[in-house]
Amino acid sequence: MPQNVRSLPGIIPALLVLGTLAGLFAASKRLHIESINRRIEIGIEWNEVSQLAQISGKPIAELLAAFKNEGVSTLIISEDTIGSLEQNGELQPQKTSMPDGKVANSVLVRTESALRRIQSALTDRGFPINVESAGSINASTFFYQSTGDSNLPRTGFYVPVDFANIRNTGLGLAPEAQKASAEAQLRIAGRISNFAGVNVISASNVLHSLKNQGASTIIFNGDEALGYRGIEKSVADLLRSKQRTITDQDAPPLVPTGLVFGEVEFGKQKGDEKISAALHGDYVRVHSIQTAEMGTLDEIDIVDRFVRAVKERNIRFCYVRMLTQSGSNPIAANLEFFHKIKKGMEKGSLNTGGGLHFGAAHLFQDTGIPKIVFLVAGLSTGAAVVWMVTLLIPMTTSNTNISAVISALIFGIAAYAGGETGRKIAALAAGIVFPTAACLITLPGVRFRKSTIMRTGGCVRYAVKAILLATAITAAGIFHVIALLSTEPFMVVANQFLGIKLQHALPIFIVVYAVLVGSSTVPNETWLQYKARCRESLKSVFNEPARYGTMIIGLLAIALLALVVARSGNDPGTGVSGFEMKTRSILDHIFPVRPRTKELLGGHPAFILAIAWWWRGRKNLAIPLFIFGCLGQVSLLNTFCHIHTPLIISVWHGSLGLLLGSLLGIALFLILERILPRPELMKDTSV
C-alpha cells in the first residue's frame, strides 16, 4: 500500500469505508427498483396507421392487430382541430349578414355530433357561448347545422371570436380513432396543444376531457407545453399520480386527471422542463425520432436508437413512427421494422439490460434510501476532500484531523439537510476528489529511483497494479455518488448530476499541477521542503527551452481535453461523427454493452502505457501520456454520474472499458518496445 494511504489518520479511512458501505447499500436498493420496472410501451400514430390502411386497402383493425403482435400497445392520437374538420369537409365557413346589418362569419357544420363536439371544446377552453339570437350579443362567428328547410331557423351557437382565431382550436380525439383503439384493445396516448387564453380551469377541463375520451398518457403537441407560460405548475398538479397537497390558499382545488405525462427526451417544447421539474419524477420518459430526422437515418440506426434508449437511459415509452409509406409492400416493411425493435429490446437478460417485455409503462418507484445514508456519504466525501489535499501538500496529523472533521461536517450537513442541491454538491465533490486521488497516488514522481530500468514483464506488472489501485479508489468514489443521488428524480432526469464538465476538467488540471511541482506529496516531507521543491520544479519547467515538438503535443493535448469536456454531459454541444456512430454500432453488436470510447481507446490504454514506460525509463513519454491517461479514471466515475442509466449497464460500461482498455495498453506497450530503441537494462531495484 502506498505511503500516502498508510499514513492517513484513522478518522479518514474509517469514514471512507463507511461511505463506501453506504454506497453499496444504496446500489442494492436502486438495482431492485430498476429490476421491477422493465416494461416498455410502444406507441404508433393513428394518422400513419390510417394512411397506411388507405394506401394498402387493408382494414384498420387488421393492421392494428398485426402491429400489436410486434409489441405495440398504444395508439397515439393527435387531437382534431376546427381547421382539420374544415379540411375534411365536415364544416364550411361562410359570410353571413347579422340582424344589425353587420357581416360576420358563419360556419355550416354537417352533423349534429360535430356541432356539439365543437361547442363542448370551446366551452372547455373558456370561450363564451351563446345559443340565443345573434342580435343579443356581439357575435363574430356563428356555428350552425342546416335544417334542410330554408324556412326553419338555423340551430347553432355564437362565439364572440373571429373564425380565423379559433381555426386551430383543439376538439379532442377523433371518435373513429377512439373506437379503433377500443376494438383493438390498445391504450391511447393523447396529443393536445397549448391554446390562447389557457388558465387553470380551462386546462383542467381539457385534461379531464382527454381522460374521459380514454387516454391514459398525454404527450403535448407543437412547440409549447400546455400552460406555457405561467401555469405549468398547475398543469403538473393535474398530471400527478398522487393527490396534490395545496400550499397556496388562493389556488383553486385541483383534482388529478389520472393521465401520465410523457416527457419527451431531448424535447424542445417550451414549458415542459417546468412541468417535469414540478412533477419531480412522477412521469414516464418518451423517446421519439422526428419525421424529418427519420428520413436521414438508416433502418438499423433507427432500431439501435430505440433499443439503446430503453436499455441505457431508462426510457419506458417509445414513440415510433412508420419507417415507410411507399414500396410494393409497405405493411410488411413496417412490421419487419417493428419486429427488429422488439427483438432488440428482448435480446439479453436482466444482467445485460435486455430481456425487456411490452405493455403499459409505469412510473419508477423511489428507492427509499434513508437520509442517514446521505449523511454518511456526505461525511465521507468531506473527509475525502482533505485526503486529496494531503496528496498535494504536506499536512501535520493534527491539522489533517481537524480539517477532516470540519470538512466532513460541512458536506455531511449539506447532504443530509440541503435537499437535492446539497447532495448534488457533495456528489460533485466526490466526482472530483476520488479520481483525482486515484491519479495522484499512482502518479510517477520523485520516489522513483531514476537508475532503475525494468524489463518489459516487470513494467507490465507494475502498470497493472497501478491501474487496479487507481480503479479501486475511483470505485469508492462511484459508491459515494450512488449513495448521494440514487433517488427517483435523478433516475428519470427530473434532476441531474451537477457540474459534469467541471468533474471532467478539474482532476486533469490538478494532476498537471502535481506534475509541474515534481510529484504528489512525498512521505515525511516538511512544509518548507515542499515549498522549496515546488519552487525549484516550477523554475525548471519555466526555464526549459521551447521545443516545437513539445509545444505541438501540448496544444494537441489541450484541444483534446477541450473536446472531451465539450462532449460531456447529457446534451453536449458538439455532435458525434458518422464514423464514430458506426464504430459505436459495431461495438454494440460485439459486446453485451458498448464500452465508452474514451475509456476503451483513450484513457485506460494511455494509463497502462504511461506507467509501463515510466518503469522502462522513458520518462519524457510517460508523464504527458499519464496526464492523458487520467481521463480514464475521470470518465469511469463519470459513467456512474448518469443516474438515469441503469446501474447494471454502467457496470458493464466501466468493466469492459477497463478490461479491454488495459489489454490494449499492454499490447501497445509490447509492440512499441519492439520498435523503439531499447534502453540499457539494469538490475531491478524497484521499491
Side-chain angles (χ1 to χ4, degrees), residues 46 103 148 182 289 305 317-318 349 399 457 499 503 623 647 681:
W46 161 253
V103 177
I289 303 177
R305 279 240 332 228
F317 190 112
C318 290
S349 65
N399 287 341
Q503 187 268 332
I623 292 300
L647 188 54
L681 294 178

Side-chain angles (χ1 to χ4, degrees), residues 21 64 125 134 152 172 223 297 349 385 428 467 474 479 489 492 604 615 636 679 683:
L21 291 175
L64 291 178
R125 286 161 176 75
L152 295 176
D223 61 356
L297 300 174
S349 65
V385 171
L428 174 60
I467 200 168
T474 300
F479 283 116
V492 295
H604 294 324
W615 289 105
L636 177 60
K683 183 179 179 181

Side-chain angles (χ1 to χ4, degrees), residues 111-134:
T111 64
E112 182 179 357
S113 60
L115 182 67
R116 297 304 160 219
R117 187 180 174 197
I118 296 170
Q119 182 177 353
S120 176
L122 293 174
T123 301
D124 285 345
R125 286 161 176 75
F127 289 96
I129 303 294
N130 194 299
V131 296
E132 302 297 331
S133 65

